[in-house]
Amino acid sequence: MKATIWHNPKCGTSRKTLAILEETPGVEVTVIEYLKTPPSAEKLAQLYRDAGITPQRGLRLRGTDAQERGLPDADAATVLAAMEAEPILIERPLVETDKGVRLCRPQELVNEIL
């Protein structure tokens, strides 16, 4: 099975999720450090759609100015454009496998798609 993780190595939850992926037999992991290689707004829209969540649910509030900018109440296109322009606004980690996508907070949610 292939798994792609949009990862921030400074984030403990992201590191723990990556460890679960790496320790699961038969999983081939692709790691994308999304702060260095941000996903497009289109890719983010697809990930959130496949995860069954809104872009607003995938918005990182802690340590960002998202609240002050009104992003939690903005429309999806505005949120996705902000995330594409400033990837720090993307809540992490996002994991995609053939079985689906999860925003892995807590990290154990990754097991739902393994």
Side-chain angles (χ1 to χ4, degrees), residues 4-22:
T4 301
I5 181 171
W6 281 266
H7 177 61
N8 181 344
K10 294 181 180 178
C11 171
T13 302
S14 196
R15 288 191 310 269
K16 290 173 187 172
T17 303
L18 179 57
I20 292 169
L21 291 169
E22 290 176 335

Side-chain angles (χ1 to χ4, degrees), residues 51-92:
I53 63 174
T54 64
Q56 293 85 345
R57 170 72 178 81
L59 185 62
R60 182 158 181 84
L61 302 177
R62 187 171 162 213
T64 72
D65 65 350
Q67 287 279 20
E68 293 80 4
R69 292 167 58 183
L71 291 173
D73 299 318
D75 63 84
T78 300
V79 172
L80 292 167
M83 289 174 166
E84 183 177 44
E86 298 176 60
I88 193 69
L89 294 169
I90 301 169
E91 185 64 275
R92 74 270 182 157

